[in-house]
Amino acid sequence: MPDILHRIEAKTSAAKAYDALTTRDGLARWWTTDTQGSFELGGVIEFRFGSRGFIHMKVIEREAGQRVLWQVVDGPSEWLGSRVRFDLEQDGEHTAVLFQHQGWKEASRFMHHCSTKWALFLMSLKSLLETGHGAAYPNDVHVTCKAD
Amino acid sequence: MPDILHRIEAKTSAAKAYDALTTRDGLARWWTTDTQGSFELGGVIEFRFGSRGFIHMKVIEREAGQRVLWQVVDGPSEWLGSRVRFDLEQDGEHTAVLFQHQGWKEASRFMHHCSTKWALFLMSLKSLLETGHGAAYPNDVHVTCKAD
């Protein structure tokens, strides 16, 4: 099954990157401002994107400063059952975020689109970690000619 | 074998997008300013990125307004033998670019990195097509903490 893969580095600690992946305030500042739910292990986080739709992620793993793994439990049909994983690797003043959105059934147009969007949201995360300002929905960067 | 997949849309025609993928002037304005070589079918295009390295692409297919396919014939070892494909789909005033970098041997860290970089270079292509200004090397957006 095809995966979406990305990697960014930010001038920050793994602890701060982990906070941005595991707290309401962090997630709301780089992915979507409309983030709610339960952020603990086994909880379900609800990410909403207005009329574009929503995604519910169950927290499958969270290891402080190292790894976060979510399973999609509701949302776009092509996302159902897929998993989103972040691995953190600190090296001195920098932290790398290795990203995988695993378990797509096929390399659809929508998967191509989501791959590009993930890259831009990860750049939003990098910006948040380095400057304090991300580009979360509804202020995200568009890759198509309509809202996406 | 894992692939890198992306999709962008730009407010432009497929003919203009095709020009940006098949001419020295076009490629130099969104990927790297140091673009040389032969751009015709069977030719080899040389893309250089200063001290970061270079990539030589053989033009395997080019179908006006529709498709461009390159094969990597020299460059980073992980790129050797892989293929880069652009499919164009015009819908009214908009053109979608479906992108695939096919034939990676493994989902390495470098592949994760290149996936994110491709997304940003495709956003550079989108910007070039819509505003006349891309972000080609050496003015490209960095995804790590050093030049990448």
Side-chain angles (χ1 to χ4, degrees):
Chain A
M1 288 190 296
D3 297 337
I4 293 171
L5 309 174
H6 288 298
R7 183 180 187 279
I8 58 153
E9 285 177 12
K11 189 169 180 177
T12 192
S13 65
K16 285 185 181 164
Y18 183 78
D19 279 350
L21 298 171
T22 54
T23 65
R24 203 207 73 81
D25 184 55
L27 291 162
R29 291 167 74 192
W30 70 266
W31 199 20
T32 172
T33 52
D34 192 355
T35 296
Q36 299 171 28
S38 168
F39 298 82
E40 299 310 307
L41 188 66
V44 173
I45 312 177
E46 303 177 13
F47 299 101
R48 295 200 181 88
F49 300 84
S51 61
R52 294 190 220 164
F54 64 88
I55 299 155
H56 294 181
M57 300 279 202
K58 185 169 183 178
V59 182
I60 300 293
E61 282 185 52
R62 44 177 289 169
E63 194 165 342
Q66 293 192 47
R67 184 168 44 256
V68 173
L69 178 63
W70 298 327
Q71 176 142 11
V72 180
V73 292
D74 202 358
S77 61
E78 291 194 50
W79 282 49
L80 292 178
S82 66
R83 291 182 170 205
V84 174
R85 176 177 173 145
F86 304 85
D87 287 283
L88 305 176
E89 296 173 345
Q90 184 168 349
D91 181 8
E93 290 187 327
H94 303 150
T95 295
V97 181
L98 216 65
F99 171 89
Q100 298 177 50
H101 185 169
Q102 308 164 322
W104 289 79
K105 292 179 186 70
E106 57 172 341
S108 64
R109 272 171 175 63
F110 186 53
M111 183 185 170
H112 287 68
H113 166 78
C114 293
S115 177
T116 314
K117 282 297 282 189
W118 271 126
L120 293 166
F121 279 120
L122 290 164
M123 291 302 285
S124 164
L125 171 62
K126 174 177 168 64
S127 175
L128 171 64
L129 293 170
E130 294 182 338
T131 72
H133 299 285
Y137 167 88
N139 301 310
D140 52 323
V141 179
H142 294 175
V143 305
T144 69
C145 296
K146 54 187 185 308
D148 54 26
Chain B
M1 288 191 295
D3 297 337
I4 294 171
L5 309 174
H6 287 298
R7 184 180 187 279
I8 58 153
E9 286 176 10
K11 189 169 180 177
T12 192
S13 66
K16 285 185 181 164
Y18 184 78
D19 279 350
L21 298 171
T22 54
T23 65
R24 202 206 74 80
D25 184 53
L27 291 161
R29 290 167 75 193
W30 71 267
W31 199 19
T32 170
T33 52
D34 193 354
T35 296
Q36 299 171 28
S38 168
F39 298 82
E40 299 310 308
L41 190 64
V44 173
I45 312 177
E46 301 176 14
F47 300 99
R48 295 198 183 89
F49 301 83
S51 61
R52 293 190 221 163
F54 65 88
I55 299 156
H56 293 181
M57 301 279 202
K58 184 169 183 177
V59 182
I60 300 292
E61 283 186 49
R62 43 178 289 167
E63 195 165 341
Q66 293 192 47
R67 185 168 44 255
V68 173
L69 179 62
W70 298 327
Q71 175 143 10
V72 179
V73 292
D74 202 358
S77 60
E78 291 194 50
W79 282 49
L80 292 178
S82 67
R83 293 182 169 204
V84 173
R85 176 178 174 145
F86 304 85
D87 286 283
L88 304 176
E89 296 173 346
Q90 185 169 348
D91 180 9
E93 291 186 325
H94 303 150
T95 295
V97 181
L98 218 64
F99 171 89
Q100 298 178 50
H101 186 169
Q102 308 165 321
W104 288 79
K105 291 177 187 69
E106 58 172 340
S108 63
R109 272 172 176 64
F110 186 52
M111 181 184 171
H112 287 66
H113 167 78
C114 292
S115 177
T116 314
K117 282 298 283 189
W118 271 126
L120 293 166
F121 279 121
L122 290 164
M123 292 302 285
S124 164
L125 170 62
K126 174 177 167 66
S127 175
L128 171 65
L129 293 170
E130 293 182 337
T131 71
H133 299 284
Y137 167 87
N139 301 310
D140 52 322
V141 180
H142 293 175
V143 304
T144 68
C145 296
K146 55 186 184 306
D148 54 28

